[in-house]
């Protein structure tokens, strides 16, 4: 059965405010009485996926010593996960559409738990890298299924807003929670528990999914677009790998250029094929929609800016200030609290009443202000004077933004295409994270080297004066990269203002019956 595009303007029949977005007009099905427990299950799954993007970072020095990793190959403990995750997201999302999201959700959880246990039991670097890649494979199946289940479980606009508020808070705060939990487990148990911890949480989520979640069913009996899956996965994987390699190589390095250019060309061929495929992996009308395209671009830019900042701030607190992993993780707690407040108390309450961009633009402006505060830090800056106000402004702004952007990115999509829409959002975030880490690291490293050259400092001298100068140069590099992040966040606000021009969801729902009864001009 061919995929059908969702009408964008005038519904065929009057749509009640309770009708699920993306469904045909008519009465919405009865709400599942267990849906809020289902939200807990979905939130648990999303949490472990996001956690594993940062929890290993803090444990990596201990794992390197234990397994004998070299400085050259230790990055694969991170890269193996992000490559598999980012490269296979489009395929994972479409598999959920074709074969059932609840089934994909449960298989993803079980596979993720097994891979985590293998990584925790690793006896050699290769075993750890393989386990991290396997985690990424199952995360690519799990993450789109979780977001799709959320969208299809909550059909009432007000309830959906609350559910997206919780989901957005977890999506935003999960990285900070990962650093806190990583520090706690590494300091008091062992780095291996940063991986083992996923197994019991995933097992609990599997039991909850079997009891609490309903499978909305498959909206199509079409076969998988195998060529599209190969082209899409290869293109995204090549780009993500290219940017990860750019961290340790020059941007004009042959391998980096080959990967990036090859990835772009492959995605171009993928796009052409999607216009001809009978059952495309990514129906292009999903990304052609103005509101969703704006949300995807906004989330990609946000991720570019935020990934590097988390890394720099962690290095600043541990490398410059000498904080322990646990103390560093604890320092992020206020940001997590502010994200939850911004998402569940501000964005949820205002989204039905105001246009989406009226939330995203002020939220991103506030976050950019927080980055500006962090960018003014020097070696002697204190937590209370700079770090705390900066991360609180970021957390509040990001909390308001994430919920509104995620809701827009997955809204007005036919139920049988929710997996593709969710996977596209996750892919943009993964690519954004790779771009941000490589770009901002390059900026920081270049600024540090320039500072040392201007002041004629040789860090290899090892004297107290040379070490102090190196610390000052390093902070200067972090500062310039953070100013760049603030600029990218403001660019994201501009993109949201230009592209996302929909009215408040509450007004859309109220006006739908009137539009349906109005004959076309």
């Amino acid at each position: 059965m061919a995929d059908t595009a969702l009408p964008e303007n005038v519904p065929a029949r009057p749509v009640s405010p309770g009708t699920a977005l993306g469904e045909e007009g008519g009465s919405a099905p009865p709400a599942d009485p267990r849906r809020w427990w289902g939200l807990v299950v979905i939130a648990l799954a999303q949490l472990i996926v996001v956690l594993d993007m940062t929890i290993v970072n803090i444990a990596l020095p201990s794992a390197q010593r234990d397994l004998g990793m070299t400085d050259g190959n230790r990055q694969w403990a991170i890269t193996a996960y992000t490559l598999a995750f980012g490269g296979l997201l489009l395929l994972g999302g479409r598999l959920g559409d074709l074969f059932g999201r609840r089934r994909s959700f449960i298989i993803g959880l079980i596979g993720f738990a097994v891979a985590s246990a293998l990584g925790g039991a690793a006896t050699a670097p290769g075993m750890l890298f393989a386990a991290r890649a396997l985690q990424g494979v199952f995360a690519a199946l799990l993450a789109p299924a979780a977001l799709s289940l959320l969208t299809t479980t909550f059909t009432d606009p007000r309830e959906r807003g609350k559910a997206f508020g919780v989901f957005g808070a977890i999506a935003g705060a999960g990285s900070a929670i990962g650093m806190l939990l990583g520090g706690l487990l590494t300091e008091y148990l062992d780095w291996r528990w940063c991986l083992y911890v996923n197994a019991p949480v995933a097992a609990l989520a599997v039991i909850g999914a079997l009891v609490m979640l309903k499978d909305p069913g498959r909206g199509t009996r079409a076969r998988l677009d195998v060529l599209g899956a190969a082209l899409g996965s290869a293109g995204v994987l090549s780009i993500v790998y290219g940017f990860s390699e750019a961290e340790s190589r020059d941007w004009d390095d042959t391998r980096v250029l080959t990967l990036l250019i090859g990835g772009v060309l492959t995605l171009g061929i993928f796009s052409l094929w999607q216009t001809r495929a009978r059952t495309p992996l990514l129906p292009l009308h999903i990304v052609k929609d103005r509101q969703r395209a704006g949300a995807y671009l906004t989330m990609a830019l946000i991720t570019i800016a935020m990934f590097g900042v988390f890394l720099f701030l962690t290095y600043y607190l541990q490398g410059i200030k000498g904080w322990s992993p646990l103390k560093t993780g604890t320092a992020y707690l206020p940001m997590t609290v502010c994200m939850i407040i911004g998402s569940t108390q501000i964005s949820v309450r205002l989204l039905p009443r105001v246009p989406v961009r009226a939330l995203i633009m002020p939220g991103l402006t506030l976050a950019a202000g927080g980055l500006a505060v962090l960018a003014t830090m020097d070696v002697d800056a204190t937590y209370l004077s700079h770090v705390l106000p900066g991360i609180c402004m970021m957390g509040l702004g990001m909390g308001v933004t994430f919920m509104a952007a995620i809701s827009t990115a997955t809204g007005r999509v036919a139920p049988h295409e929710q997996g593709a829409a969710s996977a596209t959002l996750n892919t943009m975030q993964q690519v954004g994270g790779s771009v941000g880490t490589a770009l901002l690291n390059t900026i920081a490293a270049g600024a540090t080297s320039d500072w040392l050259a201007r002041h004629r400092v040789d860090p290899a001298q090892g004297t107290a004066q040379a070490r102090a100068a190196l610390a000052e140069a390093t902070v200067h590099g972090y500062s310039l990269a953070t100013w760049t992040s603030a600029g990218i966040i403001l660019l994201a606000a501009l993109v949201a203002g230009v592209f996302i021009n929909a009215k408040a969801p509450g007004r859309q729902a109220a006006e739908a019956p009137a539009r349906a009864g109005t004959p076309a001009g």
Side-chain angles (χ1 to χ4, degrees):
M1 184 172 66
D3 293 334
T4 56
L6 190 68
E8 297 291 347
N9 296 315
V10 183
R13 298 193 300 272
V15 181
S16 67
T19 303
L21 295 175
E23 295 176 359
E24 294 183 359
S27 300
D32 184 354
R34 296 172 296 184
R35 61 194 180 280
W36 294 108
W37 284 109
L39 175 60
V40 175
V41 174
I42 294 170
L44 279 176
Q46 177 66 14
L47 182 61
I48 62 173
V49 170
V50 178
L51 280 179
D52 268 68
M53 296 174 69
T54 57
I55 193 171
V56 174
N57 289 29
I58 287 182
L60 190 54
S62 299
Q64 181 178 359
R65 290 191 299 269
D66 195 8
L67 298 180
M69 286 183 271
T70 66
D71 290 343
N73 69 12
R74 66 182 178 186
Q75 66 170 354
W76 282 100
I78 309 299
T79 305
Y81 179 76
T82 56
L83 277 179
F85 189 15
L88 297 175
L89 270 166
L90 288 176
L91 175 60
R94 202 55 172 158
L95 287 174
D97 286 338
L98 295 177
F99 304 117
R101 289 159 202 135
R102 181 170 173 265
R103 180 182 301 171
S104 296
F105 184 80
I106 292 172
I107 292 173
L109 280 169
I110 294 172
F112 197 88
V114 171
S116 299
L118 289 174
T123 56
M127 184 176 176
L128 176 62
F129 302 155
R132 289 286 286 166
L134 196 60
Q135 277 186 309
V137 170
F138 286 105
L141 188 65
L142 175 58
L147 186 51
S148 299
L149 284 169
L150 181 73
T151 305
T152 53
T153 298
F154 292 90
T155 55
D156 179 80
R158 283 177 291 186
E159 288 191 347
R160 177 177 288 194
K162 294 177 182 178
F164 269 113
V166 173
F167 191 88
I170 291 173
S175 297
I177 296 173
M179 286 182 278
L180 171 60
L181 187 58
L184 185 66
L185 293 173
T186 302
E187 191 156 325
Y188 289 105
L189 290 174
D190 185 79
W191 68 267
R192 297 178 183 276
W193 280 97
C194 292
L195 293 164
Y196 285 144
V197 71
N198 292 319
V201 176
L204 185 62
V206 168
I207 295 171
L210 291 171
V211 176
M212 300 297 176
L213 291 178
K214 287 184 178 180
D215 196 329
R218 302 189 296 272
T220 176
R221 296 177 181 176
R223 291 179 296 178
L224 179 66
D225 174 17
V226 177
L227 179 58
L231 288 171
S233 298
V236 175
L237 190 148
S238 182
I239 289 175
V240 173
Y241 186 30
F243 278 110
S244 68
E245 284 291 284
E247 290 183 64
S248 55
R249 299 170 180 265
D250 292 332
W251 285 92
D252 58 355
D253 180 82
T254 302
R255 178 185 294 184
V256 172
L257 291 175
T258 301
L259 288 167
L260 294 179
I261 294 173
V264 171
L265 291 176
T266 303
L267 288 181
I269 298 171
F270 167 76
S271 298
L272 290 175
W273 170 249
Q274 294 307 281
T275 64
R276 300 184 179 186
R278 291 184 59 188
T279 55
L281 184 75
L282 174 61
L284 292 184
H285 66 83
I286 289 178
V287 294
K288 287 181 179 179
D289 176 81
R290 176 174 181 160
Q291 313 305 322
R292 285 192 293 274
Y296 292 147
L297 286 173
T298 299
M299 289 298 289
L301 288 169
I302 291 171
T303 314
I304 288 173
M306 299 306 295
F307 260 58
V309 170
F310 281 136
L311 189 63
F312 297 144
L313 187 54
T314 300
Y315 284 158
Y316 175 83
L317 294 175
Q318 291 193 37
I320 304 300
K321 294 297 186 182
W323 287 19
S324 68
L326 178 58
K327 188 176 181 180
T328 301
T330 305
Y332 284 101
L333 275 180
M335 184 177 71
T336 303
V337 173
C338 288
M339 278 188 174
I340 294 172
I341 292 173
S343 184
T344 63
Q345 300 303 312
I346 299 176
S347 198
V348 166
R349 296 174 187 271
L350 293 180
L351 186 59
R353 300 182 178 90
V354 302
V356 173
R357 63 181 172 185
L359 287 173
I360 294 179
M361 294 181 71
L364 291 178
T365 303
L366 180 62
L371 289 171
V373 172
L374 293 176
T376 62
M377 291 192 306
D378 56 24
V379 175
D380 299 319
T382 65
Y383 180 79
L384 291 178
S385 67
H386 283 80
V387 179
L388 183 61
I391 63 175
C392 285
M393 292 171 67
M394 283 170 51
L396 196 61
M398 288 294 100
V400 171
T401 299
F402 277 139
M403 183 267 177
I406 292 173
S407 179
T408 303
T410 56
R412 301 184 308 125
V413 179
H416 67 277
E417 294 173 348
Q418 280 293 338
S422 303
T424 303
L425 176 63
N426 279 286
T427 300
M428 295 300 283
Q429 290 177 284
Q430 282 298 306
V431 173
S434 299
V435 173
T437 303
L439 175 64
L440 296 175
N441 268 339
T442 301
I443 292 172
T448 300
S449 298
D450 290 345
W451 191 99
L452 291 172
R454 285 198 312 271
H455 292 81
R456 298 180 181 179
V457 175
D458 181 8
Q461 292 176 351
T463 64
Q465 186 177 3
R467 288 195 298 269
L470 177 60
E472 189 172 348
T474 301
V475 173
H476 170 73
Y478 294 166
S479 176
L480 184 59
T482 305
W483 278 118
T484 304
S485 295
I488 295 172
I489 290 291
L490 290 177
L491 177 60
L494 179 62
V495 167
V498 171
F499 282 87
I500 306 176
N501 63 350
K503 297 178 181 178
R507 287 186 61 187
Q508 290 182 28
E511 292 173 2
R515 291 200 309 269
T518 302

